[in-house]
Amino acid sequence: MSAIPYVGKGTIWGSVANLAATAMGAGILSLPISFYYCGWLLGTFMLLIFAICSDISLVLLVRAAKMSNCWGFEQLAIRFYGNVGRTGVAVTLVLLLFGAAVIILIVIGDLISHHAHEWANCAGASCPWYLDYNFL
């Protein structure tokens, strides 16, 4: 199976910034509650373990990319797993984006419902139905 030619239009720094923003987005939102449930000692230990696992997986991806001369997740998946790999990457990307959208909607709903009550100058049962948390 021959590799599909790839024409890159982005920069390395753009890719690094995109990956960092994606990884930190959900991490920033989930880190405080993780430390709350685990405590600072176990939370710090788990953070280090996951950081080491992330580093190892990135090193393996870079090595596989260099050895196969494929420079994208989809190309790498096609090279080693064929169409199953392509589908796996696509499904994983859709799930990642769906999860990010759900997190953003939850945060916006939490923020807007509180501020909407302040802006409308109402509290509790006196607020209209369209300012209810379940509606927003």
Side-chain angles (χ1 to χ4, degrees):
M1 174 183 259
S2 64
I4 299 170
Y6 177 71
V7 178
K9 294 189 175 37
T11 64
I12 294 293
W13 290 112
S15 300
V16 167
N18 189 14
L19 181 62
T22 302
M24 287 190 296
I28 293 298
L29 293 173
S30 64
L31 206 55
I33 196 73
S34 300
F35 271 87
Y36 175 77
Y37 285 125
C38 291
W40 69 270
L41 187 63
L42 181 61
T44 304
F45 176 74
M46 296 290 285
L47 185 64
L48 288 173
I49 292 297
F50 286 119
I52 290 169
C53 289
S54 295
D55 184 54
I56 290 170
S57 68
L58 289 175
V59 167
L60 291 175
L61 277 171
V62 169
R63 284 184 185 170
K66 283 182 180 178
M67 291 172 69
S68 64
N69 203 24
C70 296
W71 299 107
F73 283 124
E74 189 175 12
Q75 282 184 324
L76 210 53
I78 292 169
R79 172 92 166 131
F80 290 109
Y81 298 107
N83 283 332
V84 173
R86 176 189 297 200
T87 304
V89 169
V91 167
T92 304
L93 182 60
V94 167
L95 291 175
L96 171 72
L97 295 175
F98 179 76
V102 168
I103 289 171
I104 288 171
L105 288 175
I106 290 171
V107 170
I108 288 173
D110 285 344
L111 294 175
I112 287 182
S113 67
H114 175 70
H115 292 295
H117 290 193
E118 288 179 5
W119 294 330
N121 200 17
C122 64
S126 66
C127 284
W129 62 271
Y130 53 83
L131 292 180
D132 185 29
Y133 175 77
N134 294 327
F135 180 74
L136 293 174

